[in-house]
């Protein structure tokens, strides 16, 4: 009877061969040991001797089975005449391994191979594992020889045949196996059940029978107090497992991500996973800044000497007006130490002084140094974000650059991808779609063949690629120059407006004019990727993954150039000389600019989703009468996410609440993009598996995005003079002096803390420390990539060795058969000569 075999590739015991069901000793030598013991037992009866000899004869006959039977262990037992007929049919096979009648030596070798000894029948499997459990029990206690048992206690092997086991013998073997499983430890029992080549239902039945017997035994032996303790521990363990299962069910967007993966594949899924990663980064940044900067200042608001303007609604787009004097921006935060209200002691409310002290408050009250908190919150949050990014990138390198050949993954997906615990119809449908899409991607990668072009074709493709890149570079340069001159013109208009050289006719119109530069940049980010896609259509890439990576490179070139011009506009023009344009708090103005750019980017992304996907689908279906839908542009959408996240990291110094705006944007963007993808987009016509896409995204987020934002923020805190009339660092030459002043005060109060002052001067004020830290991070990433590369080479050598060993087995079997045929040829000739005579 054939049985299903459950494969567990992740089990280390299976890899080590400790619990493998293909152990030859357990199959072929177990009964030989019993025969040896019985032969040494002088008191054995003739019936037992006859039984053992009959069993040995049946095992010898098993070794002379034909190849067709050995290749299909689940086939019913056939007679000798039928085997002779199958031998004659096998002579017509072209395979050299399935030639004429096999020799006894060849059949003996074939029958002893591990692949030929699996799944003979259920009785043989249970008998084999009964012997294995007895071996495990002998590890902890000595077991007497079989001659020392009484005749009724000896393990009966009567009726053990290859296909003729009776039901009673099988039940008795099952009972003995259950008894042995009960006496094993929990870990040994689990390993033994996992290694059995039986289906899941029979394993569950054996496990439940062993547990029932164990419970009955424990109930008879364990006292009431111990039983109560046992039940409490069991209940706590089940509660802990239920809690872990509940936490797993709380994973964000688990079902929508499965739907996207099942319908559109790993490429589109990587976009949403990257969006989810950015959401967690912003949640962490918002929690840190909100707890240490926004919340303390909101609980102790400074006195406002100027009346706050009325709310008009335009502030939601510009971020100015009503929002200017709130915790959203840098200028609202005070430059003194926040203390508990002095009204408890009969004093007046806190008044800020230039030296940062509060003379009216009693020193015993709790204090909070706002400039120091602002400085260290920005620094520590950036440092922790850098560590998380480096760790994520290193981990992603290890996962994506390992050995993942499509042939091996295809076999794993075929046999081990289904989860039998899934019972809901919707979950089963999602899982089947997901597995089907993964099969398509793997098969497309396996069947992909590199086309060899002629020299003229290669020259033509090289010219096309050069023309496409020239178009992309020229268009990017033109757009960057347009942004540069537009920002210069806006700077001049702002200078005229703030210096009151031009009369103010309509304040709302002047405030709305601040949206011109963000609208221009967002429009370029929306239209220029379409030109990049047209250039990629001209190039006609054979591999969709190569086309995606090229598109990522071109969009990255555009985004980096645009952000470079904008950073020069903010830090080189506005922050360098704010008094010439009449800005009292240039940090607040830069924060408003970043808010406007982030908001305009979100609005244009929604417009692109509406007009570029929804209306195009309606136009294609209603007017063009086609069922063809647009394909989701992974490169452009991912670079839009990186662009928005770079703005958020740049603006956290000037707008501490900007991570909250980014969180709201990402949440809305996920549901909008998810609905648009499911309704308006189609799966790629050429399925492809992008195994390293997530690693590329994390790398781009780390190096061009976070590194550029960190350089700009560090330059602002180190070199640019802050505003003298607003913010926590007013009346300081640089923002770094806030930490230096705090260390000097600590050293003045306690001379023993001079070591802290020297450490601050060497580690914080010296830029060499930042370069050393960045170098260490790069070394860690490089070392991890080299380790992964070495592991990949070793795994490749091991796979090649396994293939060579398989070829060696084929060669030896073929050679053995050839030698046998050479020996049989003279015998046939003599027989033919005798017949002729």
């Amino acid at each position: 009877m054939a049985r299903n075999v459950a494969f567990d590739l992740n089990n280390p015991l299976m890899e080590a061969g400790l619990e493998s069901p293909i152990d030859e000793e357990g199959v072929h030598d177990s009964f030989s040991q019993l025969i040896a013991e019985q032969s040494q037992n002088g008191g054995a009866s003739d019936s037992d001797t006859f039984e053992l000899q009959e069993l040995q004869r049946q095992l010898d006959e098993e070794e002379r089975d034909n190849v067709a039977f050995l290749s299909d262990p689940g086939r019913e037992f056939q007679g000798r005449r039928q085997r002779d007929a199958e031998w004659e049919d096998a002579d017509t096979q072209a395979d050299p391994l399935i030639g004429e009648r096999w020799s006894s030596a060849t059949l003996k070798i074939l029958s002893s191979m591990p692949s030929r000894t699996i799944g003979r029948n259920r009785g043989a499997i249970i008998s084999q594992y009964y012997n294995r459990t007895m071996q495990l029990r002998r590890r902890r206690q000595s077991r007497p020889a079989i001659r020392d048992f009484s005749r009724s206690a000896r393990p009966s092997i009567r009726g053990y045949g290859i296909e003729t086991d009776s039901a009673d013998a099988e039940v008795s073997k099952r009972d003995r196996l259950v008894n042995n499983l009960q006496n094993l430890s929990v870990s040994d029992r689990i390993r033994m059940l996992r290694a059995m080549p039986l289906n899941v239902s029979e394993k569950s039945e054996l496990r439940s029978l062993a547990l029932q017997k164990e419970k009955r035994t424990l109930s008879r032996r364990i006292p009431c107090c111990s039983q109560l303790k046992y039940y409490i521990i069991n209940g706590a363990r089940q509660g802990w497992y239920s809690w872990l299962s509940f936490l797993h069910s709380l994973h964000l967007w688990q079902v929508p991500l499965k739907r996207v993966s099942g319908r559109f594949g790993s490429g589109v899924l990587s976009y949403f996973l990257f969006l989810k990663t950015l959401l967690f980064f912003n949640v962490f940044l918002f929690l840190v800044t909100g707890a240490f900067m926004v919340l303390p200042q909101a609980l102790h608001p400074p006195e406002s000497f100027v009346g706050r303007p009325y709310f008009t609604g335009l502030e939601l787009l510009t971020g100015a007006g009503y929002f200017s004097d709130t915790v959203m921006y840098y200028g609202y935060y005070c430059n003194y130490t926040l203390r508990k209200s002095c009204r408890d002691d009969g004093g007046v409310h806190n008044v800020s002084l230039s030296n940062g002290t509060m003379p009216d408050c009693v020193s015993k009250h709790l204090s909070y140094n706002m400039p120091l908190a602002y400085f260290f919150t920005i620094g520590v949050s950036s440092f922790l974000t850098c560590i998380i990014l480096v760790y994520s990138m290193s981990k992603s390198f290890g996962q994506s650059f390992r050995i993942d050949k499509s042939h091996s993954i295809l076999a794993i997906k075929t046999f081990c991808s289904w989860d039998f615990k899934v019972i809901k119809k919707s979950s089963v449908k999602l899982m089947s779609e997901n597995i089907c899409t993964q099969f398509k991607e793997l098969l497309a990668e396996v069947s992909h063949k590199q086309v060899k072009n002629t020299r003229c074709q290669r020259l033509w493709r090289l010219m096309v690629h050069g023309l496409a890149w020239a178009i992309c570079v020229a268009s990017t340069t033109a757009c960057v120059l347009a942004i540069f001159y537009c920002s210069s013109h806006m700077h001049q208009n702002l200078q005229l407006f703030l210096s009151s050289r031009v009369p103010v006719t309509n304040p709302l119109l002047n405030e709305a004019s601040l949206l011109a530069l963000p609208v221009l940049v967002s429009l370029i980010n929306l239209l220029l990727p379409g030109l990049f896609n047209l250039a990629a259509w001209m190039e006609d890439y054979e591999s969709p993954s190569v086309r995606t990576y090229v598109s990522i490179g071109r969009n990255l070139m555009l985004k980096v150039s645009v952000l470079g011009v904008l950073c020069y506009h903010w830090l080189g023009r506005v922050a360098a000389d704010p008094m010439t344009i009449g800005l009292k708090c240039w940090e607040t103005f830069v924060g408003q600019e970043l808010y406007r750019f982030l908001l305009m980017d979100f609005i244009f992304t929604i417009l692109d989703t509406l007009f570029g996907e929804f209306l195009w689908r309606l136009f294609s279906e209603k007017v063009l009468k086609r069922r063809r839908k647009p394909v989701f542009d992974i490169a452009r959408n991912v670079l839009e996410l990186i662009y928005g996240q770079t703005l958020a990291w740049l603006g956290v110094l000037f707008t501490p609440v900007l991570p909250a705006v980014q969180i709201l944007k990402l949440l809305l963007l996920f549901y909008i993009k998810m609905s648009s993808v499911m309704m308006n987009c189609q799966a790629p016509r050429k399925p492809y598996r992008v195994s390293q896409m997530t690693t590329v995204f994390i790398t781009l987020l780390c190096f061009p995005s976070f590194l550029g934002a960190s350089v700009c923020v560090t330059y602002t805190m180190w070199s640019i003079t802050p505003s003298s009339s607003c913010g926590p660092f007013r009346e300081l030459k640089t923002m770094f002096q806030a930490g230096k002043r705090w260390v000097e005060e600590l050293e003045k109060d306690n001379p023993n803390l001079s070591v802290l002052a020297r450490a601050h001067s060497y580690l914080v004020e010296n830029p060499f420390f930042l370069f050393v830290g960045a170098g260490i991070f790069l070394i860690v990433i490089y070392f991890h990539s080299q380790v992964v590369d070495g592991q990949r080479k070793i795994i490749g050598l091991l796979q090649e060795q396994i293939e060579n060993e398989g070829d060696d087995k084929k060669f030896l079997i073929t050679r053995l058969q050839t030698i046998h045929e050479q020996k049989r040829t003279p015998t046939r000739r003599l027989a033919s000569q005798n017949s002729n005579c």
Side-chain angles (χ1 to χ4, degrees):
M1 183 184 303
R3 286 293 172 188
N4 297 329
V5 181
F7 294 91
D8 189 3
L9 299 179
N10 297 322
N11 190 1
L13 297 174
M14 291 288 289
E15 296 177 359
L18 298 178
E19 300 296 334
S20 176
I22 58 176
D23 188 4
E24 298 181 29
E25 295 179 1
V27 178
H28 298 285
D29 298 338
S30 58
F31 291 101
S32 299
Q33 295 174 3
L34 292 178
I35 292 172
E37 291 182 0
Q38 288 287 345
S39 62
Q40 294 176 4
N41 187 8
S45 63
D46 296 336
S47 60
D48 292 338
T49 304
F50 176 76
E51 176 187 354
L52 295 174
Q53 291 176 353
E54 182 68 19
L55 175 62
Q56 186 65 35
R57 185 183 62 79
Q58 292 178 2
L59 290 176
D60 292 337
E61 290 180 357
E62 178 191 355
E63 294 179 352
R64 294 190 295 270
D65 290 342
N66 59 350
V67 177
F69 181 81
L70 290 173
S71 62
D72 190 2
R75 188 175 299 175
E76 295 294 329
F77 180 77
Q78 302 293 335
R80 186 178 298 274
R81 294 180 180 178
Q82 185 175 355
R83 292 204 305 269
D84 295 337
E86 290 176 357
W87 281 339
E88 294 175 358
D89 295 337
D91 293 339
T92 61
Q93 298 291 336
D95 193 343
L97 294 180
I98 309 178
E100 297 181 357
R101 181 168 179 173
W102 295 93
S103 64
S104 60
T106 305
L107 290 175
K108 187 174 182 180
I109 293 175
L110 288 175
S111 63
S112 62
M113 292 177 65
S115 60
R116 308 292 181 171
T117 58
I118 301 178
R120 294 297 171 86
N121 64 355
R122 185 170 54 187
I125 291 170
I126 294 176
S127 298
Q128 172 192 354
Y129 282 92
Y130 164 70
N131 295 328
R132 186 71 59 79
T133 53
M134 296 304 296
Q135 292 176 6
L136 288 174
R137 289 176 60 188
R138 283 197 298 270
R139 295 177 185 175
R140 297 184 298 272
Q141 59 183 5
S142 61
R143 176 191 174 205
I146 194 171
R147 69 173 69 90
D148 299 331
F149 288 98
S150 62
R151 299 184 60 81
S152 60
R154 293 179 183 177
S156 176
I157 56 175
R158 186 183 302 276
Y160 178 79
I162 299 303
E163 294 293 339
T164 57
D165 287 341
S166 62
D168 296 336
E170 187 172 330
V171 170
S172 63
K173 294 169 188 175
R174 179 184 293 271
D175 292 338
R176 292 197 301 272
L177 179 59
V178 169
N179 292 330
N180 290 330
L181 288 173
Q182 177 190 352
N183 295 326
L184 292 177
S185 63
V186 178
S187 59
D188 289 340
R189 185 188 307 166
I190 292 174
R191 285 181 294 178
M192 183 62 62
L193 287 173
R194 283 180 179 177
M196 287 186 179
L198 299 174
N199 55 19
V200 179
S201 60
E202 296 209 359
K203 289 183 181 181
S204 302
E205 184 180 356
L206 290 173
R207 182 173 178 270
S208 61
L209 290 174
L211 287 176
Q212 290 176 3
K213 289 191 175 183
E214 185 179 4
K215 288 180 180 179
R216 288 197 296 267
T217 305
L218 287 175
S219 62
R220 290 194 299 266
R221 296 179 181 177
I222 301 177
C224 294
C225 297
S226 300
Q227 287 186 17
L228 180 61
K229 179 181 177 181
Y230 174 77
Y231 288 130
I232 291 174
I233 294 175
N234 239 354
R237 184 181 301 166
Q238 293 296 330
W240 173 251
Y241 290 154
S242 301
W243 171 251
L244 291 179
S245 178
F246 174 71
L247 290 179
H248 180 72
S249 64
L250 292 179
H251 285 180
L252 188 63
W253 301 325
Q254 189 174 7
V255 176
L257 291 177
K258 289 183 178 179
R259 290 176 181 170
V260 171
S261 176
R263 186 175 298 183
F264 298 96
S266 59
V268 180
L269 177 65
S270 62
Y271 166 79
F272 291 97
L273 291 178
F274 185 67
L275 190 149
K276 184 179 177 181
T277 303
L278 292 183
L279 180 64
F280 288 143
F281 274 111
N282 286 278
V283 168
F284 164 74
L285 193 59
F286 172 69
L287 291 178
V288 174
T289 56
F292 296 101
M293 292 168 52
V294 179
L295 186 60
Q297 188 63 66
L299 295 177
H300 299 83
E303 291 186 356
S304 179
F305 299 100
V306 182
R308 182 177 296 178
Y310 294 101
F311 181 76
T312 60
L314 190 61
E315 291 86 350
L316 294 175
L317 295 177
T318 63
Y322 181 82
F323 292 144
S324 298
D325 196 18
T326 59
V327 291
M328 282 187 63
Y329 298 113
Y330 167 91
Y332 183 79
Y333 292 84
C334 61
N335 67 327
Y336 53 80
T337 301
L338 302 178
R339 301 183 187 273
K340 193 176 180 180
S341 179
C342 300
R343 295 177 181 177
D344 297 339
D345 301 328
V348 295
H349 196 267
N350 298 343
V351 180
S352 63
L353 299 177
S354 60
N355 57 2
T357 60
M358 288 292 162
D360 295 331
C361 291
V362 183
S363 60
K364 66 180 181 179
H365 290 161
L366 298 177
S367 60
Y368 193 81
N369 194 331
M370 196 63 209
L372 194 66
Y374 202 102
F375 173 75
F376 278 107
T377 300
I378 298 297
V380 172
S381 61
S382 300
F383 183 71
L384 292 178
T385 303
C386 181
I387 292 177
I388 296 173
L389 271 174
V390 171
Y391 173 76
S392 302
M393 187 167 57
S394 178
K395 185 178 179 181
S396 182
F397 266 108
Q399 291 178 351
S400 62
F401 288 98
R402 65 181 185 270
I403 287 293
D404 53 354
K405 293 183 179 179
S406 301
H407 296 83
S408 58
I409 295 182
L410 190 60
I412 294 174
K413 289 292 182 185
T414 303
F415 294 105
C416 309
S417 58
W418 189 260
D419 188 1
F420 290 92
K421 295 182 291 185
V422 178
I423 56 176
K424 293 177 62 177
K425 291 185 178 180
S426 58
S427 301
V428 169
K429 185 178 179 181
L430 282 177
M431 182 176 291
S432 60
E433 288 181 354
N434 198 347
I435 295 174
C436 181
T437 305
Q438 291 176 6
F439 276 140
K440 289 180 182 179
E441 295 176 354
L442 292 170
L443 290 173
E445 187 172 352
V446 170
S447 60
H448 176 71
K449 297 181 180 179
Q450 191 70 26
V451 180
K452 293 183 178 180
N453 298 322
T454 62
R455 183 174 299 178
C456 295
Q457 290 176 344
R458 288 198 298 267
L459 182 60
W460 170 253
R461 293 187 66 86
L462 186 62
M463 293 175 58
V464 172
H465 289 325
L467 179 62
W469 275 102
I471 293 173
C472 295
V473 172
S475 60
T476 302
T477 305
C479 292
V480 168
L481 290 176
I483 294 172
F484 178 79
Y485 287 114
C486 181
S487 62
S488 178
H489 180 70
M490 291 293 298
H491 183 71
Q492 294 177 1
N493 291 340
L494 182 65
Q495 184 177 359
L496 294 175
F497 171 71
L498 293 176
S499 61
S500 300
R501 297 178 185 176
V502 178
V504 179
T505 56
N506 191 350
L508 294 179
L509 182 61
N510 292 328
E511 188 176 348
S513 64
L514 298 174
L515 297 173
L517 185 60
V519 168
L520 176 64
V521 172
S522 300
L523 190 62
I524 289 174
N525 289 330
L526 177 64
L527 298 180
L528 203 59
L531 181 62
F532 296 161
N533 292 334
L534 181 61
W537 176 78
M538 291 171 47
E539 294 172 308
D540 191 19
Y541 287 102
E542 297 176 358
S543 175
S545 59
V546 174
R547 180 175 180 175
T548 302
Y549 288 128
V550 171
S551 181
I552 287 175
R554 291 170 180 172
N555 283 274
L556 181 65
M557 176 182 63
L558 172 65
K559 297 298 188 296
V560 170
S561 303
V562 169
L563 286 174
V565 173
L566 292 178
C567 289
Y568 170 76
H569 169 66
W570 293 325
L571 303 180
R573 290 175 180 167
V574 178
D577 194 6
M579 299 307 296
T580 57
I581 58 177
L583 282 176
K584 296 181 180 179
C585 190
W586 65 267
E587 293 91 349
T588 298
F589 176 78
V590 173
Q592 292 172 358
E593 285 276 291
L594 287 164
Y595 173 82
R596 288 191 284 267
F597 274 90
L598 191 65
L599 189 63
M600 285 297 109
D601 178 68
F602 175 64
I603 292 175
F604 274 80
T605 302
I606 295 177
L607 292 177
D608 173 61
T609 304
L610 178 63
F611 292 99
E613 296 176 358
F614 178 68
L615 293 183
W616 173 252
R617 179 181 67 86
L618 293 181
F619 178 77
S620 178
E621 291 179 353
K622 304 298 182 182
V623 179
L624 301 179
K625 302 298 181 181
R626 297 179 180 176
R627 294 183 180 180
R628 184 176 176 182
K629 298 179 181 179
V631 179
F632 187 75
D633 194 348
I634 302 172
R636 181 175 59 83
N637 285 278
V638 167
L639 266 298
E640 288 293 335
L641 291 179
I642 294 178
Y643 169 75
Q645 187 59 41
T646 308
L647 293 177
W649 278 330
L650 281 171
V652 71
L653 176 63
F654 312 106
T655 311
V657 191
L658 198 60
V661 180
Q662 178 72 355
I663 291 172
L664 183 61
K665 171 192 168 183
L666 292 176
L667 287 173
L668 295 176
L669 195 63
F670 178 85
Y671 291 105
I672 292 172
K673 286 292 183 181
M674 178 66 67
S675 302
S676 176
V677 165
M678 301 300 291
M679 292 173 54
N680 305 321
C681 297
Q682 67 177 5
R685 285 173 293 176
K686 294 181 179 180
Y688 64 99
R689 185 174 66 95
V690 189
S691 59
Q692 301 171 0
M693 186 75 80
T694 305
T695 305
V696 173
F697 294 163
I698 293 294
T699 304
L700 295 178
L701 184 66
C702 183
F703 282 121
S705 177
F706 180 77
L707 183 62
S710 300
V711 168
C712 293
V713 171
T714 306
Y715 173 76
T716 303
M717 300 179 73
W718 241 317
S719 304
I720 301 179
T721 303
S723 299
S724 59
S725 59
C726 68
F729 305 108
R730 66 190 76 175
E731 299 182 358
L732 296 176
K733 292 184 178 180
T734 58
M735 297 181 184
F736 269 96
Q737 285 190 350
K740 186 175 182 180
R741 178 176 294 182
W742 173 69
V743 172
E744 291 176 354
E745 291 178 358
L746 287 179
E747 186 180 5
K748 186 184 297 183
D749 295 338
N750 190 356
N752 296 326
L753 297 178
S754 59
V755 179
L756 182 62
R758 289 195 297 269
H760 182 272
S761 63
Y762 284 115
L763 298 180
V764 179
E765 297 179 7
N766 193 355
F768 179 75
F769 172 73
L770 294 178
F771 290 107
V772 171
I776 291 174
F777 285 149
L778 292 176
I779 289 172
V780 168
I781 296 173
Y782 176 77
F783 178 76
H784 194 278
S785 63
Q786 291 299 312
V787 169
V788 172
D789 184 66
Q791 292 175 352
R792 181 170 66 249
K793 291 180 181 179
I794 292 174
I795 293 174
L797 292 175
L798 292 175
Q799 289 183 345
E800 185 178 357
Q801 183 178 354
I802 292 173
E803 293 177 359
N804 292 334
E805 289 181 356
D807 295 337
D808 291 343
K809 291 180 181 178
K810 293 180 181 179
F811 171 77
L812 291 175
I813 294 174
T814 308
R815 184 62 178 168
L816 184 63
Q817 183 65 20
T818 304
I819 294 173
H820 175 69
E821 292 297 330
Q822 292 176 356
K823 290 182 178 179
R824 287 181 57 189
T825 303
T827 306
R828 289 181 177 179
R829 290 178 180 175
L830 291 175
S832 61
Q833 292 176 2
N834 294 331
S835 61
N836 292 331
C837 292

